[in-house]
C-alpha cells in the first residue's frame, strides 16, 4: 500500500482538525467567483477528501460530483453532506484512470487532492490527462499544488531542517534530480494508533505545470500564490508560497 493510501485510511476525523483545512469558506468564495456565480455549472471535485469544498458548494446550490481513492474519506464525506442536508454524488475512484459518462463545466483538485502525491511523474500526469477528458470544451480546471520554488529559494538545506507548524521535524531529504521530497510523517489515526509514513511528494515549478497543461490542450493558464482560505488571482506566485493556485481552461475545439 502506498503512503498516501495508508495516510488516509482511518484518518478522516483527525484530518478535519488539521490547520490547513480550516479555510474552506474563503476558498469556496473564490471558486464561486471563477464560476461567475452560475449555479447551472456542473463541478467535479477530484481527491475530495471528506468533501469540505463539495459540501460547501452544494449548500450554495451547485451540482456536485466528487470522488476520492479512500473509502474512509468518502464515508465521512457522505456523513458531512447528509449532516448539512445536501446531495453530492460521492464515489471511490482513482484520479489516474477515472471516467464518467458525462463531462463537467469545472474540475477542482484542492490541497493536493491526488496530484502531486503519486509515486511517478507519469502517474501525476495521468491525473491531469483524466481531468482534461472529463471536462467539457471550455471547461475550467482549478487546482492547488506544491510550489517547487519554495524549497529551491529556501535552500534545500534549510528546507530539510525545517519544522512544521506543530514543531515536528520530518527528516526530509529533497532530491534535486527529481524534485521529490522524501520525509517521515508521524500521524495518530482515528483509533489512536501512531503511524510513521515514508512520504514522497513531487514539487513542480510553475513552468513545468504550464508545459504539462499546454501539452494536454489547456489554454488561459494562470498560476498564482495559494493562500489558505483566501485564494485570489491578485496573488503573484513568489518563493514564499508553499503552494500554488493553478487555473486553466480546456481549449474549445
Ligand atoms: C490532502 S487531501 C485533500 C482533500 C481535499 N481536496 C481537501 O481539500 O481537503 C488528499 C486527498 O487525495 C486523495 N487521493 C490520493 N491519491 C488519490 C488518487 N489517486 N485518486 C483519488 N484520490 C486520491 C486522498 O485519499 C486524500 O483524501
Amino acid at each position: 500500500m502506498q503512503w498516501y493510501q495508508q495516510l488516509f485510511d482511518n484518518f478522516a476525523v483527525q484530518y478535519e482538525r488539521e490547520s490547513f483545512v480550516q479555510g474552506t469558506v474563503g476558498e469556496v468564495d473564490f471558486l464561486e467567483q471563477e464560476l461567475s456565480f452560475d449555479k447551472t455549472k456542473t463541478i467535479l471535485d477530484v481527491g475530495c477528501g471528506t468533501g469540505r469544498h463539495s459540501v460547501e458548494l452544494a449548500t450554495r446550490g451547485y451540482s456536485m460530483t466528487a470522488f476520492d481513492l479512500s473509502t474512509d474519506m468518502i464515508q465521512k464525506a457522505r456523513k458531512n453532506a447528509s449532516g448539512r442536508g445536501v446531495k453530492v454524488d460521492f464515489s471511490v475512484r482513482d484520479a489516474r484512470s477515472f471516467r464518467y459518462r458525462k463531462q463537467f463545466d469545472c474540475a477542482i483538485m484542492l490541497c493536493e487532492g491526488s496530484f502531486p502525491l503519486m509515486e511517478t511523474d507519469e502517474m501525476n500526469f495521468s491525473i491531469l490527462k483524466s481531468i482534461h477528458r472529463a471536462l467539457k470544451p471550455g471547461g475550467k480546471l482549478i487546482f492547488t499544488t506544491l510550489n517547487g520554488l519554495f524549497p529551491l529559494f529556501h535552500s534545500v538545506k534549510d528546507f530539510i531542517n525545517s519544522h512544521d507548524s506543530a514543531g515536528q521535524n520530518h527528516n526530509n531529504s529533497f532530491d534535486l534530480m527529481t524534485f521529490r521530497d522524501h520525509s517521515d510523517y508521524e500521524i495518530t489515526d482515528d483509533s489512536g494508533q501512531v503511524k510513521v509514513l515514508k512520504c514522497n511528494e513531487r514539487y513542480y515549478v510553475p513552468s513545468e505545470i504550464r508545459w504539462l497543461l499546454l501539452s494536454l490542450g489547456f489554454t488561459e493558464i494562470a498560476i498564482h500564490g495559494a493562500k489558505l482560505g483566501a485564494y485570489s488571482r491578485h496573488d503573484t506566485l513568489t518563493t514564499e508560497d508553499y503552494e500554488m493556485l493553478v487555473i486553466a481552461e480546456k481549449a474549445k475545439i
Side-chain angles (χ1 to χ4, degrees):
M1 212 193 237
Q2 291 295 329
W3 68 271
Y4 49 83
Q5 292 168 291
Q6 293 173 45
L7 172 60
F8 295 105
D9 184 31
N10 199 19
F11 190 58
V13 175
Q14 293 296 330
Y15 179 74
E16 291 187 340
R17 296 188 182 136
E18 297 281 355
S19 56
F20 58 82
V21 299
Q22 307 309 323
T24 310
V25 170
E27 289 159 13
V28 170
D29 289 346
F30 171 79
L31 297 175
E32 275 210 279
Q33 282 173 36
E34 288 295 319
L35 293 160
S36 307
F37 300 90
D38 179 353
K39 294 185 202 290
T40 66
K41 290 203 169 138
T42 53
I43 308 165
L44 175 66
D45 187 354
V46 176
C48 63
T50 59
R52 61 195 180 103
H53 298 104
S54 284
V55 171
E56 180 64 29
L57 281 160
T59 60
R60 297 187 193 193
Y62 293 89
S63 163
M64 293 302 307
T65 303
F67 72 87
D68 198 279
L69 191 61
S70 160
T71 308
D72 200 48
M73 297 295 264
I74 288 295
Q75 267 172 11
K76 183 73 170 73
R78 287 194 174 118
K79 273 191 203 148
N80 289 343
S82 66
R84 298 271 298 269
V86 291
K87 280 218 166 75
V88 175
D89 176 9
F90 284 116
S91 56
V92 175
R93 292 173 197 239
D94 189 327
R96 288 164 283 197
S97 55
F98 73 91
R99 274 174 195 272
Y100 285 90
R101 286 215 179 92
K102 58 181 177 183
Q103 286 182 312
F104 299 87
D105 294 303
C106 179
I108 59 172
M109 178 171 56
L110 301 171
C111 191
E112 288 76 63
S114 69
F115 187 96
L117 309 179
M118 301 301 100
E119 55 273 33
T120 68
D121 290 3
E122 290 81 354
M123 288 182 189
N124 282 329
F125 183 62
S126 67
I127 292 173
L128 297 179
K129 201 170 165 183
S130 304
I131 292 175
H132 182 267
R133 187 177 52 222
L135 281 171
K136 291 179 187 169
K140 199 178 254 190
L141 165 61
I142 303 171
F143 70 104
T144 58
T145 193
L146 301 168
N147 175 19
L149 303 180
F150 185 91
L152 267 193
F153 187 77
H154 289 265
S155 96
V156 172
K157 188 164 158 275
D158 289 350
F159 181 68
I160 64 178
N161 290 328
S162 65
H163 292 71
D164 69 10
S165 51
Q168 205 185 131
N169 178 291
H170 299 294
N171 196 22
N172 304 55
S173 70
F174 189 79
D175 184 337
L176 278 172
M177 286 301 284
T178 60
F179 267 54
R180 284 180 176 273
D181 177 44
H182 297 266
S183 62
D184 295 338
Y185 190 53
E186 187 180 298
I187 58 146
T188 306
D189 72 15
D190 290 345
S191 319
Q193 195 194 334
V194 176
K195 299 180 188 166
V196 180
L197 305 171
K198 295 256 166 238
C199 302
N200 165 7
E201 293 169 289
R202 174 69 151 88
Y203 285 66
Y204 285 86
V205 293
S207 52
E208 283 179 292
I209 292 289
R210 201 180 145 70
W211 181 240
L212 291 177
L213 293 174
L214 277 176
S215 69
L216 283 170
F218 282 99
T219 63
E220 308 296 327
I221 301 161
I223 304 183
H224 298 275
K227 305 274 185 290
L228 291 177
Y231 298 159
S232 166
R233 280 193 186 249
H234 297 299
D235 262 323
T236 304
L237 180 70
T238 75
T239 52
E240 300 307 308
D241 289 301
Y242 188 66
E243 284 185 308
M244 49 188 162
L245 168 69
V246 185
I247 308 153
E249 284 178 27
K250 177 170 172 171
K252 287 210 172 85
I253 41 153

